[in-house]
Amino acid sequence: MKKINFKGKKHAVTAVCLLAGMFVLTSSVYANYDNARGYTNYKEAVKDLILYEDNFSAEGDMSIFVDGEKVAATKATFKVDGKDYYIRTAMEEELSGKGKQYENIQIHQGGKLYYYYPETNSYWISENAEGFRPDMSDPAVKKGIRFVELFADAMVGDLKNNFVLTSKEGDNRTYSVDVSGSQIPEIVHAGLSLVFTASNTADTSAVSYVTYENYEKAFDAYFEEQTGKKVTETSYSESDAEYNQVVEDFSEKYDNILQEKNNKGIVYVKADGSYTYYKTYAEYEKAVQLGNDTAKNMMAMLGS
């Protein structure tokens, strides 16, 4: 297992504001303000959990189906205890036709943030990491939260009337919602149309970057080649300078290859450190991302 230390302080305020705003926006688009104050209660509950509650657990899952076939799914667990927290996300996707699965765990404890990747049995450590919450005494933070609230309200529109309180037991409330495509506010339709049209008409001829089949395995192979040692937790903790130099050389190696191609095309680095160069993104997408004839490009399927 290897450990990688990051220096510097995490600035989480902006990211958390955006996260809170997006969560309220994408979730509350299905909520409303009825006689039971469903929309208001829902929105305030989300804000309270994200911004104020210091001890709670939350779980959620989401699946995407195309023509009745599941193409992607995500499950998440989130636990908070004061300033410490635990986040686990597990994802699977069939868009590539390869049934890929991804999992990662984040643990914030004692001022450090640990990122653990079960697939490669590796972890990263961010020193002096801040918690995930913004400083609520900051006037800019308060105004930012108020702005995303109002933006969410505008996006929800008349969908408020579709959110119905079905039961209430003590402090627990259960709501039901049924929304058809014709009821989605026009601003949402316009925004989605813009996203799909932009995606399917984008010029990818100038796309250029280095990407990896499996960064961890490729780096391990390079590290052993350069130092004659296998990657271990001890080797990282005792040879920080050596490690940093290997990281820099590893990245520079493939960047130089791309520069030799006039920074055009895609350099695809395989798990063993070898690479394949594709002149265009279309070639790369066909050979690597899609992989076989049954693969689906969901954005293209949905058109403009």
Side-chain angles (χ1 to χ4, degrees):
M1 182 182 293
K2 59 186 156 193
K3 177 180 69 176
I4 302 172
N5 291 310
F6 283 90
K7 299 179 180 179
K9 194 173 183 181
K10 286 282 186 178
H11 298 284
V13 173
T14 302
V16 172
C17 284
L18 289 173
L19 175 62
M22 291 174 65
F23 190 84
V24 172
L25 170 63
T26 56
S27 301
S28 65
V29 72
Y30 303 103
N32 87 322
Y33 178 86
D34 56 11
N35 292 334
R37 291 175 55 84
Y39 173 68
T40 301
N41 289 343
Y42 179 83
K43 184 172 66 175
E44 291 301 318
V46 171
K47 285 174 53 184
D48 187 52
L49 281 178
I50 294 178
L51 301 173
Y52 300 106
E53 287 294 331
D54 60 4
N55 194 296
F56 71 90
S57 298
E59 294 184 351
D61 61 83
M62 178 181 68
S63 298
I64 299 175
F65 293 82
V66 175
D67 295 334
E69 182 181 352
K70 185 168 71 172
V71 296
T74 299
K75 292 184 178 181
T77 301
F78 186 39
K79 299 181 180 182
V80 173
D81 180 15
K83 293 184 178 181
D84 296 332
Y85 59 87
Y86 165 95
I87 303 175
R88 175 186 177 273
T89 56
M91 297 164 282
E92 58 178 303
E93 60 90 3
E94 295 289 346
L95 293 174
S96 64
K98 299 178 181 179
K100 293 183 178 180
Q101 295 185 348
Y102 311 89
E103 180 183 2
N104 69 76
I105 296 172
Q106 296 181 35
I107 300 175
H108 182 276
Q109 189 172 33
K112 294 183 179 182
L113 182 57
Y114 303 84
Y115 299 85
Y116 176 61
Y117 304 92
E119 181 184 2
T120 56
N121 192 34
S122 60
Y123 67 93
W124 303 60
I125 299 178
S126 177
E127 303 283 352
N128 301 317
E130 296 180 350
F132 73 97
R133 285 198 170 112
D135 181 4
M136 295 305 296
S137 65
D138 187 340
V141 172
K142 293 181 179 179
K143 291 181 179 180
I145 293 173
R146 179 57 179 161
F147 172 78
V148 295
E149 275 192 77
L150 294 175
F151 185 67
D153 293 343
M155 294 289 282
V156 170
D158 294 334
L159 293 183
K160 298 172 183 177
N161 301 322
N162 293 68
F163 197 79
V164 180
L165 179 67
T166 58
S167 68
K168 179 179 179 181
E169 298 179 6
D171 291 332
N172 296 323
R173 297 173 176 80
T174 301
Y175 296 93
S176 176
V177 62
D178 186 7
V179 180
S180 67
S182 62
Q183 293 173 298
I184 302 297
E186 183 59 30
I187 187 172
V188 178
H189 274 301
L192 290 175
S193 178
L194 174 61
V195 169
F196 287 116
T197 299
S199 174
N200 290 312
T201 60
D203 179 12
T204 60
S205 61
V207 173
S208 175
Y209 57 82
V210 176
T211 186
Y212 300 85
E213 178 185 22
N214 187 311
Y215 180 90
E216 297 288 340
K217 290 183 178 179
F219 179 80
D220 288 355
Y222 184 79
F223 185 89
E224 185 173 358
E225 175 188 322
Q226 296 298 309
T227 66
K229 298 180 291 186
K230 289 186 177 295
V231 177
T232 65
E233 181 180 350
T234 303
S235 66
Y236 280 99
S237 61
E238 294 180 352
S239 340
D240 188 64
E242 181 182 45
Y243 161 74
N244 289 332
Q245 185 61 53
V246 174
V247 168
E248 183 178 338
D249 294 343
F250 179 66
S251 177
E252 186 176 351
K253 174 182 178 180
Y254 299 105
D255 286 342
N256 288 340
I257 294 172
L258 192 60
Q259 289 178 13
E260 292 174 359
K261 304 294 184 180
N262 296 317
N263 288 316
K264 295 181 179 179
I266 310 293
V267 174
Y268 178 62
V269 182
K270 300 178 182 179
D272 62 2
S274 62
Y275 71 92
T276 301
Y277 171 72
Y278 298 96
K279 293 182 179 180
T280 66
Y281 180 82
E283 291 181 3
Y284 163 70
E285 184 177 47
K286 182 178 180 180
V288 179
Q289 288 194 325
L290 297 186
N292 58 46
D293 295 335
T294 63
K296 303 176 181 65
N297 185 330
M298 191 166 63
M299 294 292 279
M301 291 174 66
L302 294 173
S304 60

